[in-house]
Amino acid sequence: MSEWIGQVILLLIFPITFSGAGATLLSPTWTFYGAVLGMVVSFLVARFSDRGMVRILGASEKGMSTSWRRSLASLSLGSLSEAAAPEILVYPDPFPQVWLVRGLFRSRGVVLISQGLMSSLKEEDLRVLLRQMLIKMPACRTALLSYDSFLLLILLKGVPAGWVELLFSKRKLNAREEELLSPLRLLGFSLVFPLLRLLIWYVVEGNGRHLQDRAESAFGRMVIAIQNTMGPWQNSLSLRASLGGLGKLPEVQRSSST
């Protein structure tokens, strides 16, 4: 129940913010207009979050051979029409990551695979991954997590990386990060930090649980194999390296091995 309450808060973040801005004018009318505008913005973000993710990550069909695209397309289609089959795109990142994204009320989603994951998987492993993606794609949870992921990536682009890592890994700031740490910026970051923390929990943990739910045993074994190939440092990945769902999932690993 608490997870769904948190999700409702994330969906209402724009109406709350915009209505609060209207309330500063001491006008009920502008407060109402702000809430309506915020609801429209929330809907648009949820609706087009899949396209936003593709743009932010720089995903494209490059990195996947023509034979692979034909093979995966035939697997993904199955009983689906060509128009409803999800896109399969690759984006430049050395860490093994995968994003399953779908805009609200869209029938066609996008599977975003990092180059690091593509190079780590055998052909059969990639088919196992895609089969699981097709199972989870129609779920409402996919659209909600796409909304969360898009918001988080936007926020992380506006916040110095060192500040986020400082709070989540407890390391020290370097000289450049200390220069950026002005009182005004620190105040602004403290205001968005609760939202960041909630989004990070939803994206890192929520994506992992969503992908593992109703997964075949081969998928669980594949995840564990990927973690093992990353070596002992996989438990100390940076936040950005853990966002794609397969970088660090200790809870999933325990449940998959039982």
Side-chain angles (χ1 to χ4, degrees):
M1 179 62 69
S2 60
E3 182 173 347
W4 283 104
I5 292 175
Q7 184 64 68
V8 170
I9 292 174
L10 291 174
L11 289 172
L12 293 178
I13 192 66
F14 290 108
I16 292 172
T17 302
F18 286 22
S19 63
T24 60
L25 301 175
L26 302 178
S27 170
T29 301
W30 281 106
T31 301
F32 173 76
Y33 287 161
V36 173
L37 178 60
M39 291 176 65
V40 172
V41 172
S42 291
F43 173 79
L44 291 176
V45 171
R47 174 69 171 169
F48 298 105
S49 58
D50 51 348
R51 306 323 306 173
M53 290 281 291
V54 170
R55 182 176 293 273
I56 289 175
L57 294 175
S60 67
E61 292 185 348
K62 295 180 180 179
M64 185 177 292
S65 66
T66 303
S67 60
W68 258 117
R69 287 198 296 270
R70 285 199 299 264
S71 177
L72 294 177
S74 64
L75 175 62
S76 65
L77 281 174
S79 60
L80 298 175
S81 65
E82 185 173 356
E87 292 182 83
I88 304 168
L89 303 177
V90 180
Y91 66 96
D93 197 293
F95 294 98
Q97 300 175 339
V98 60
W99 301 84
L100 181 65
V101 295
R102 179 173 64 85
L104 191 64
F105 302 129
R106 287 177 179 266
S107 60
R108 186 182 190 188
V110 186
V111 179
L112 301 172
I113 304 174
S114 69
Q115 290 179 344
L117 182 59
M118 283 290 295
S119 63
S120 303
L121 296 180
K122 301 176 182 177
E123 180 175 348
E124 182 54 37
D125 291 335
L126 195 53
R127 290 179 176 273
V128 169
L129 173 66
L130 185 57
R131 283 200 299 269
Q132 182 64 7
M133 301 295 100
L134 295 176
I135 292 173
K136 307 308 297 183
M137 184 68 77
C140 177
R141 193 76 179 124
T142 301
L144 295 177
L145 284 170
S146 301
Y147 170 89
D148 299 339
S149 300
F150 179 68
L151 286 186
L152 177 59
L153 291 180
I154 289 293
L155 280 176
L156 289 179
K157 278 188 171 293
V159 176
W163 295 11
V164 179
E165 299 296 347
L166 172 69
L167 293 171
F168 288 93
S169 65
K170 298 181 180 180
R171 70 169 179 81
K172 293 183 178 180
L173 289 173
N174 59 37
R176 174 58 179 163
E177 292 159 357
E178 287 181 351
E179 291 178 5
L180 295 173
L181 192 60
S182 66
L184 184 59
R185 291 191 177 200
L186 182 60
L187 175 62
F189 182 61
S190 66
L191 294 176
V192 302
F193 175 70
L195 176 61
L196 258 179
R197 192 171 185 85
L198 183 60
L199 282 169
I200 288 169
W201 187 85
Y202 268 69
V203 171
V204 177
E205 300 295 335
N207 268 329
R209 290 198 308 273
H210 182 56
L211 292 180
Q212 288 287 322
D213 184 35
R214 293 187 295 150
E216 56 184 273
S217 58
F219 184 78
R221 290 195 297 269
M222 184 195 72
V223 173
I224 294 175
I226 291 173
Q227 292 173 335
N228 290 339
T229 60
M230 296 173 71
W233 52 268
Q234 70 98 6
N235 287 323
S236 59
L237 289 176
S238 69
L239 170 64
R240 293 175 188 271
S242 301
L243 289 180
L246 291 177
K248 184 180 179 183
L249 298 176
E251 294 182 0
V252 171
Q253 182 171 347
R254 287 197 296 269
S255 62
S256 299
S257 60
T258 56

